[in-house]
Amino acid sequence: GEDVEQSLFLSVREGDSSVINCTYTDSSSTYLYWYKQEPGAGLQLLTYIFSNMDMKQDQRLTVLLNKKDKHLSLRIADTQTGDSAIYFCAESIRTGRRALTFGSGTRLQVQP
Amino acid sequence: AAGVIQSPRHLIKEKRETATLKCYPIPRHDTVYWYQQGPGQDPQFLISFYEKMQSDKGSIPDRFSAQQFSDYHSELNMSSLELGDSALYFCASSLRGTAYEQYFGPGTRLTVT
């Protein structure tokens, strides 16, 4: 989506850390999300962060939010081949029922 | 844990035909969202329902309509299908109090020939 931007591709070696970046434009974003999509599969909610937080950690996943720069990142520690997928950043900008606006997705390729 | 169920998983239709996609939300979830994901694209929001009423509208063509029923399942009706409607259609559900947690179904892949 044009309001949420991501780099298209990232390649890392197994065991390394991966960092996927996202920028968004709407300062009224209240929640920011990371979804994972494997080939031919649905969207799996990985984690989300409320806009008044700077960081959220969940096992191997660390989300960092720089609200001033409107920058969101997802760090995957000890990346495994099973982490190979497309990762979508998304924002929720509307009050009420919170439709999501997605970025274009980053394809993560993990080399053994 | 129960997930969002969508049916059918795959659908092939010809141009100008109609299609109906169904979505069964996670039990106790009262809000349903529909998204369309074209080939190689990000999901685009179409429409959402809360307590059987339309709550938000995105880029849904006039040829499409949707509704939510008393058991909270939802149907997306698509008429006069065009080749460009070929896409993956996702349904997501959430509970009003936790509307920030949207859980997606596996999607219905619609192919229009």
Side-chain angles (χ1 to χ4, degrees):
Chain A
E2 56 192 37
D3 297 328
V4 182
E5 293 187 358
Q6 301 178 238
S7 52
L8 293 181
F9 187 76
L10 175 67
S11 180
V12 299
R13 290 194 179 278
E14 192 172 17
D16 287 350
S17 291
S18 308
V19 179
I20 303 171
N21 295 300
C22 169
T23 56
Y24 59 99
T25 56
D26 198 312
S27 57
S28 63
S29 296
T30 51
Y31 285 95
L32 294 135
Y33 306 78
W34 286 103
Y35 281 85
K36 176 183 179 183
Q37 186 176 35
E38 296 183 70
L43 293 157
Q44 177 191 352
L45 175 62
L46 289 177
T47 187
Y48 59 88
I49 188 168
F50 188 48
S51 57
N52 69 353
M53 297 169 65
D54 298 324
M55 185 183 87
K56 181 177 181 181
Q57 187 155 5
D58 185 0
Q59 298 181 348
R60 292 191 297 125
L61 305 179
T62 303
V63 178
L64 294 177
L65 176 60
N66 182 329
K67 200 172 178 184
K68 175 176 168 289
D69 295 338
K70 299 190 182 67
H71 182 265
L72 182 74
S73 68
L74 173 70
R75 178 178 180 269
I76 305 173
D78 187 25
T79 312
Q80 303 297 307
T81 54
D83 294 325
S84 294
I86 298 176
Y87 290 80
F88 287 97
C89 167
E91 62 176 353
S92 172
I93 61 172
R94 293 192 178 99
T95 57
R97 302 302 163 239
R98 302 192 184 282
L100 299 179
T101 299
F102 287 85
S104 51
T106 299
R107 181 178 294 277
L108 174 65
Q109 184 178 71
V110 183
Q111 314 266 11
Chain B
V4 177
I5 297 171
Q6 291 188 247
S7 68
R9 293 294 309 278
H10 301 273
L11 190 58
I12 300 174
K13 291 285 185 178
E14 294 187 357
K15 281 192 331 184
R16 291 179 290 278
E17 285 192 319
T18 61
T20 297
L21 310 185
K22 296 185 179 183
C23 169
Y24 298 86
I26 291 171
R28 295 188 303 280
H29 280 195
D30 50 20
T31 306
V32 168
Y33 313 77
W34 286 97
Y35 293 83
Q36 177 192 59
Q37 185 179 30
Q41 297 180 3
D42 55 287
Q44 296 288 319
F45 170 68
L46 294 178
I47 195 167
S48 63
F49 291 85
Y50 166 66
E51 285 290 346
K52 302 174 283 288
M53 299 286 289
Q54 181 185 308
S55 60
D56 203 357
K57 196 171 181 180
S59 51
I60 184 168
D62 292 340
R63 298 177 290 109
F64 294 6
S65 65
Q67 56 183 323
Q68 185 181 31
F69 295 86
S70 57
D71 63 352
Y72 296 107
H73 95 271
S74 178
E75 294 183 4
L76 177 66
N77 299 293
M78 311 159 72
S79 62
S80 303
L81 287 169
E82 301 173 357
L83 296 177
D85 295 328
S86 294
L88 200 49
Y89 290 83
F90 287 110
C91 172
S93 75
S94 70
L95 184 60
R96 182 189 181 192
T98 57
Y100 46 85
E101 292 185 9
Q102 287 187 31
Y103 293 94
F104 283 72
T108 294
R109 183 170 296 282
L110 172 67
T111 303
V112 181
T113 61

